[in-house]
Amino acid sequence: MIYKNPKGFPKNFLWGAATSAYQFEGAHLEDGKTMSIMDASIDLKYTDTSVASDHYHRFKEDIRLMNELGLKAYRFSISWPRILPMGRGKINKKGIDFYRQLVAELKDNGIEPLITIYHFDLPLCLQKEYGGWLSRKVIEDFSYYCKVLFKNFGNDVKYWFTINEQSNMFLLPHLMVFNDKIPIEKQKYSMNHIMTLAHARAIEIFREMVPNGKIGPALGISPNYPASCKPEDVEAAKIADDFNTYLFTDLYFRGCYRENVLKYMEENDIVPMIEKGDMELIGSAKPDFLGVNYYQSKAVRYARENIQNPTSSEIIPGLYKVVDNPYLDKTKWGWEIDPIGLRILLNNLNDRYHLPIIITENGIGDIETLTIDERVHDEYRINFLKKHLEQCNLAVNDGVNLFGYCIWSFMDLLSTSSGFNKRYGLVYVNRNDRDLKDLKRIKKDSFYWYKEIIDSNGKSLENLLK
Ligand code: BGP
């Protein structure tokens, strides 16, 4: 539905951009920081996190660019092993100092800091000691880490995200570390339960320590369409949403497991250990908002029980399997580009939970090189962002309480799957996977475009869309 007299974006809308520590900072073993599981990941070809975009050494220059862009908000994550090199116990003062300077510099430039507490980078020592997210011991260590952050930054930072993309053990299992002696499916549901408890504890502690702050999860969501109007496919799409989205959001916002997911776990003997008090804790932690990372939608059809070797996370035999959507273009990495899917998703989430929503990540990765006159003409990015923002605006008109939008990413950084070969930034970083070059920052065409959008609080979209 298109409105005849649409309203614009809300006043004080948080026009933002995002990054994460291991993808952006570099200095992975500097000033007391130890390795995280992402620094040590052997499964990911491109995770040489030692320099990344060198933000650790250039954050002042980077914030000057954010200021020039006119950013209202900047979402970044804190590196747990930079704050607590042993995962717990002794605090690394240099780590605290770095983020303190970062927050102060952002605020001096009128930019609202949005902190993600956990973005994939568990201290490696905790992985080695007790298996990381597979052990309930991590809940206590995560709670301690949260207390350190809230104590040091709670007065200065209003918006917090607990865990980025909790769904990763299901959707991107290569980002997790599994124990090869326990069936993987069992571990995934177990880790999910433990992460949900850690998220809930973080909120409980936050309420005591940061009474005026706001906190919520940031979830990666790809909504599912039925590949046809065959009732089996429609049902399959609903189930795919249950397993890939509502499993998590119902735990966060309703404090319970979805019945059908619970039955599936029982029938497959993969129910996590749910101890006395767990569901009470999960139910009592009420987030203030939901962060949504949106890149693509999926089309699914019903999948037979007897599919051979269902290796991909995109198939659950007997339930659904992901198929091509012939109506959508794809990125070079096969991600289906679907701006309207974002509007549909925002409306579904709003109807279901009635909570404020912020887009914590949205963007497009591509292979990019500089022109001779040192420019990057990224019209495809402008086009992608423009179309997604238009749908955000329509969602606002539909009644969704959308209070911010963060582009992934502010500047080129290490793509989790493809290093610097896949760039997302509004600002180019002059390096590639083989050669660090001079790491010079160069504004892409999309930088100037986004600046106009921010300056006009989204009004320039109307002109640009004609
Ligand atoms: C999200 C992550 C980000 C980022 C992004 C793009 O899942 O939260 O950290 O990596 O996806 O993914 P990729 O770099 O694999 O293209």
Side-chain angles (χ1 to χ4, degrees):
M1 177 174 178
I2 300 293
Y3 297 99
K4 283 190 188 135
N5 295 308
K7 60 178 178 193
F9 284 91
K11 214 171 133 218
N12 302 325
F13 191 72
L14 294 177
W15 294 101
T19 64
S20 91
Y22 80 91
Q23 293 173 283
F24 196 38
E25 287 177 3
H28 77 322
L29 290 175
E30 239 177 274
D31 288 343
K33 180 182 172 295
T34 57
M35 298 281 263
S36 74
I37 56 172
M38 296 313 291
D39 299 319
S41 174
I42 42 161
D43 290 344
L44 297 165
K45 274 188 286 184
Y46 293 107
T47 43
D48 177 0
T49 55
S50 54
V51 177
S53 310
D54 200 31
H55 175 67
Y56 187 78
H57 299 116
R58 298 169 191 238
F59 70 94
K60 289 195 176 153
E61 177 189 349
D62 294 345
I63 293 175
R64 275 200 296 280
L65 281 166
M66 291 179 198
N67 175 298
E68 185 183 335
L69 177 59
L71 272 195
K72 304 285 182 224
Y74 171 53
R75 174 180 179 238
F76 62 97
S77 75
I78 291 190
S79 157
W80 182 347
R82 198 180 289 291
I83 298 290
L84 297 166
M86 303 315 291
R88 66 170 88 87
K90 195 164 181 304
I91 299 168
N92 179 24
K93 191 176 164 305
K94 288 192 171 158
I96 298 282
D97 286 350
F98 169 67
Y99 293 109
R100 208 168 254 154
Q101 287 181 60
L102 184 69
V103 167
E105 198 75 18
L106 287 168
K107 296 190 87 165
D108 284 352
N109 282 276
I111 301 167
E112 186 81 50
L114 316 177
I115 291 184
T116 308
I117 298 172
Y118 183 78
H119 196 122
F120 308 161
D121 51 354
L122 185 79
L124 183 63
C125 54
L126 300 185
Q127 185 68 47
K128 288 191 173 155
E129 185 184 325
Y130 51 66
W133 289 106
L134 259 189
S135 163
R136 291 177 73 106
K137 288 185 185 156
V138 75
I139 301 168
E140 200 186 321
D141 288 339
F142 184 72
S143 304
Y144 176 75
Y145 167 51
C146 288
K147 283 182 195 158
V148 173
L149 298 191
F150 299 156
K151 181 160 177 255
N152 281 282
F153 308 109
N155 281 340
D156 294 320
V157 178
K158 180 171 172 196
Y159 295 99
W160 294 75
F161 298 93
T162 51
I163 291 178
N164 183 64
E165 300 194 345
Q166 184 171 321
S167 50
N168 272 322
M169 53 270 202
F170 298 88
L171 304 174
L172 306 168
H174 55 275
L175 292 180
M176 307 298 294
V177 184
F178 292 101
N179 179 331
D180 46 15
K181 296 192 186 74
I182 308 171
I184 289 250
E185 283 305 295
K186 196 171 177 66
Q187 292 182 62
K188 287 180 183 173
Y189 285 96
S190 178
M191 283 183 183
N192 181 53
H193 187 69
I194 291 170
M195 263 195 190
T196 309
L197 290 167
H199 151 93
R201 271 292 286 145
I203 294 184
E204 197 176 51
I205 298 164
F206 187 80
R207 297 293 175 224
E208 279 166 31
M209 295 183 67
V210 194
N212 299 321
K214 303 267 184 208
I215 192 164
L219 196 61
I221 308 182
S222 305
N224 295 282
Y225 297 123
S228 78
C229 53
K230 198 168 152 196
E232 284 86 344
D233 290 343
V234 177
E235 159 82 350
K238 195 199 153 294
I239 290 176
D241 279 340
D242 286 346
F243 275 76
N244 295 313
T245 303
Y246 300 137
L247 160 63
F248 310 103
T249 48
D250 277 10
L251 279 168
Y252 292 145
F253 302 117
R254 294 180 171 169
C256 60
Y257 275 99
R258 292 199 53 71
E259 263 323 298
N260 53 354
V261 180
L262 201 53
K263 291 240 163 51
Y264 172 87
M265 294 192 291
E266 281 164 7
E267 286 173 1
N268 290 282
D269 196 21
I270 51 177
V271 182
M273 181 75 78
I274 302 177
E275 292 186 2
K276 197 164 162 266
D278 283 3
M279 295 319 292
E280 286 72 15
L281 171 63
I282 292 171
S284 67
K286 300 272 182 246
D288 295 301
F289 51 70
L290 170 63
V292 174
N293 296 353
Y294 179 82
Y295 291 90
Q296 58 182 327
S297 63
K298 304 261 163 127
V300 302
R301 58 168 89 254
Y302 169 69
R304 297 179 325 274
E305 298 283 350
N306 58 356
I307 286 184
Q308 297 293 308
N309 306 322
T311 45
S312 148
S313 64
E314 306 213 312
I315 300 177
I316 302 188
L319 301 183
Y320 67 85
K321 83 169 189 207
V322 174
V323 295
D324 253 17
N325 186 333
Y327 301 101
L328 298 175
D329 290 335
K330 295 187 180 58
T331 70
K332 290 201 180 80
W333 279 262
W335 295 17
E336 281 166 351
I337 301 174
D338 183 14
I340 296 176
L342 178 55
R343 180 186 187 183
I344 298 170
L345 171 66
L346 291 173
N347 272 282
N348 284 343
L349 293 168
N350 184 52
D351 291 348
R352 199 174 170 105
Y353 303 110
H354 312 289
L355 270 176
I357 299 177
I358 175 166
I359 307 289
T360 31
E361 289 178 26
N362 179 230
I364 183 167
D366 213 324
I367 298 166
E368 289 168 335
T369 44
L370 285 179
T371 57
I372 292 170
D373 58 343
E374 290 213 328
R375 301 286 300 266
V376 179
H377 300 303
D378 53 346
E379 302 89 72
Y380 43 85
R381 178 165 296 109
I382 294 175
N383 202 29
F384 179 100
L385 297 172
K386 194 196 303 183
K387 290 196 167 137
H388 282 78
L389 273 173
E390 186 193 26
Q391 295 301 322
C392 286
N393 181 255
L394 287 166
V396 167
N397 279 278
D398 295 334
V400 174
N401 182 356
L402 185 71
F403 67 99
Y405 172 88
C406 295
I407 290 177
W408 183 269
S409 49
F410 167 63
M411 190 177 276
D412 288 347
L413 40 67
L414 194 71
S415 154
T416 312
S417 56
S418 316
F420 275 84
N421 195 37
K422 188 180 189 186
R423 294 172 184 267
Y424 281 91
L426 301 168
V427 179
Y428 185 87
V429 174
N430 193 31
R431 64 157 290 183
N432 58 38
D433 288 323
R434 280 158 285 106
D435 184 354
L436 286 178
K437 300 188 183 174
D438 58 4
L439 291 154
K440 188 173 162 190
R441 280 63 174 130
I442 295 154
K443 290 165 256 173
K444 301 183 191 175
D445 289 0
S446 55
F447 179 99
Y448 299 100
W449 171 82
Y450 194 40
K451 180 172 169 45
E452 247 189 85
I453 299 289
I454 299 176
D455 285 351
S456 66
N457 199 34
K459 286 205 186 70
S460 67
L461 261 184
E462 293 160 27
N463 306 326
L464 291 165
L465 281 165
K466 279 180 187 143

